[in-house]
Amino acid sequence: MYNVNYDDERFKQVENEKQSELDKYNKTYDNLINERNNFTNQQQQLVDQWENTQKDIANQNLQYQKDLIEQQRNKAEKEYQNEAKASYIDYQKEVDKYGVSRENVTANGLSNSGYAESSKVDMYNTYQNRLATARKSLEDAGIEFDNAIREAQMSNNETLAQNALTALQNKLNIALEGFNYKT
């Protein structure tokens, strides 16, 4: 039987070499893990940057849609104003006592008759109908414009939610890859 001297310098040297090699391996693994953590963080920052860019684009598209709708709303308002003016001018032409219609009524001897008054009332009613129709068209257009804005906002919200979901999925995939790499 051999008598082993564990206090021998060679054992200590082997133990020191073993510990030195383990320290090198641990340092290498730590470096690899740190590099992977940095890489994972960079990937997640890129996903955040992508999401912010997509959010900006979606918000810019929403604002563009709103601007277009507001332009259409302003155009409809101007068209209403023009129709209101035109119908009033037409009404004034018809009821003007020196206008062509009045001269025809006078030439036919109907100037102080019920016909003349009745025709003035008809002309006023026509003016009011034109004005009411134009106002109704403007109100209907306003409702359509409001609905279009709401639809654009909902579409924008859907786009933002979809982008957030995609970003979350990408981050989870990156985290899973990092975890798998570390194990």
Side-chain angles (χ1 to χ4, degrees):
M1 195 142 245
Y2 293 105
N3 202 3
V4 178
N5 180 9
Y6 290 102
D7 291 331
D8 188 346
E9 192 61 37
R10 291 177 290 180
F11 278 118
K12 289 180 183 179
Q13 183 180 3
V14 167
E15 186 62 34
N16 287 341
E17 288 175 10
K18 173 185 156 189
Q19 191 59 46
S20 174
E21 288 299 314
L22 285 175
D23 289 344
K24 280 197 310 188
Y25 287 127
N26 286 337
K27 185 177 179 183
T28 301
Y29 283 123
D30 287 344
N31 287 339
L32 289 172
I33 288 172
N34 287 334
E35 286 177 15
R36 180 59 194 203
N37 286 340
N38 290 337
F39 180 68
T40 299
N41 290 336
Q42 287 173 348
Q43 286 181 314
Q44 289 181 341
Q45 288 172 357
L46 289 173
V47 169
D48 288 339
Q49 184 180 0
W50 172 85
E51 183 182 14
N52 289 334
T53 301
Q54 295 304 310
K55 189 182 295 184
D56 289 344
I57 290 169
N59 288 334
Q60 288 172 3
N61 283 337
L62 174 62
Q63 189 57 50
Y64 175 70
Q65 293 297 322
K66 284 181 174 181
D67 291 345
L68 287 178
I69 292 166
E70 285 304 318
Q71 288 173 357
Q72 293 171 344
R73 185 188 310 267
N74 291 337
K75 182 180 176 186
E77 176 67 30
K78 286 178 184 174
E79 288 173 357
Y80 165 74
Q81 294 295 333
N82 289 340
E83 177 60 20
K85 287 176 189 175
S87 61
Y88 182 74
I89 289 169
D90 290 346
Y91 169 71
Q92 287 299 322
K93 285 179 184 177
E94 292 298 319
V95 297
D96 184 10
K97 64 183 176 180
Y98 301 111
V100 174
S101 295
R102 290 293 111 203
E103 286 180 8
N104 287 338
V105 169
T106 303
N108 291 325
L110 300 172
S111 61
N112 290 326
S113 69
Y115 172 78
E117 289 304 313
S118 176
S119 85
K120 280 184 183 179
V121 169
D122 286 344
M123 288 177 223
Y124 182 75
N125 286 339
T126 300
Y127 160 65
Q128 288 298 318
N129 285 337
R130 282 180 67 185
L131 194 58
T133 301
R135 186 175 297 121
K136 176 73 170 114
S137 294
L138 179 64
E139 289 171 0
D140 290 346
I143 291 170
E144 288 178 24
F145 297 143
D146 291 342
N147 288 340
I149 286 175
R150 276 191 223 96
E151 185 178 328
Q153 288 171 330
M154 288 179 1
S155 175
N156 186 56
N157 290 342
E158 179 184 347
T159 300
L160 294 177
Q162 186 63 42
N163 289 343
L165 176 62
T166 301
L168 176 64
Q169 290 171 335
N170 288 339
K171 284 183 176 183
L172 290 175
N173 286 337
I174 291 168
L176 181 61
E177 286 175 16
F179 176 76
N180 287 336
Y181 180 81
K182 289 175 190 175
T183 56

